[in-house]
Amino acid sequence: MAMICVTDRERARAFYRDVLGPVFGIGAPAIDPFGDQFPCGDGFIRLTALPDWAPGKYPVLGWKVADAGAAVTGLVAAGVEMLIYPGFGQDEEGIWNSPDGGARIAWFNDSEGNLLSLTQQR
């Protein structure tokens, strides 16, 4: 289970359910007084509200995808802005190709500013 801290449960729940759900196959959440738990693949994503939470600069969650370009297209169509790091060598979609050609990776933030990623391994 991946534990993700958020400041606004309702906003985060809507983002994971409505924006990320269709792209990454995230199911409907189970809601309890302490958090929201989404089925995802063989595991779960649990959103827990902490009023003073401040996201870090490192990825907290990532997905393995079959096609990075298609996943990015789906996210952008849903209103997600892909992150482009100056000088990192990403393409116009925000996808970075590893120097050995073994992976294509893109980064984006959730509604709370948590850094997320997707990876296509070749």
Side-chain angles (χ1 to χ4, degrees):
M1 178 182 306
M3 305 287 280
I4 306 293
C5 294
V6 301
T7 55
D8 185 326
R9 270 181 74 181
E10 290 185 24
R11 179 177 59 202
R13 182 186 313 129
F15 182 82
Y16 279 80
R17 180 190 62 222
D18 303 335
V19 176
L20 298 186
V23 176
F24 297 118
I26 299 171
I31 300 168
D32 64 45
F34 307 104
D36 303 299
Q37 186 167 299
F38 294 84
C40 184
D42 292 336
F44 294 92
I45 299 168
R46 183 160 179 86
L47 305 178
T48 301
L50 295 174
D52 297 328
W53 173 251
K57 295 182 181 187
Y58 51 87
V60 297
L61 185 63
W63 286 267
K64 183 177 177 183
V65 298
D67 183 335
V72 166
T73 297
L75 290 170
V76 170
V80 175
E81 181 179 336
M82 304 312 293
L83 299 174
I84 296 183
Y85 299 100
F88 203 60
Q90 293 158 276
D91 66 18
E92 63 280 350
E93 296 178 290
I95 300 172
W96 177 72
N97 292 291
S98 66
D100 66 359
R104 301 181 75 214
I105 304 170
W107 297 269
F108 56 98
N109 288 323
D110 71 5
S111 61
E112 307 303 291
N114 290 303
L115 183 57
L116 308 175
S117 69
L118 61 88
T119 302
Q120 173 189 341
Q121 295 183 327
R122 299 185 188 190

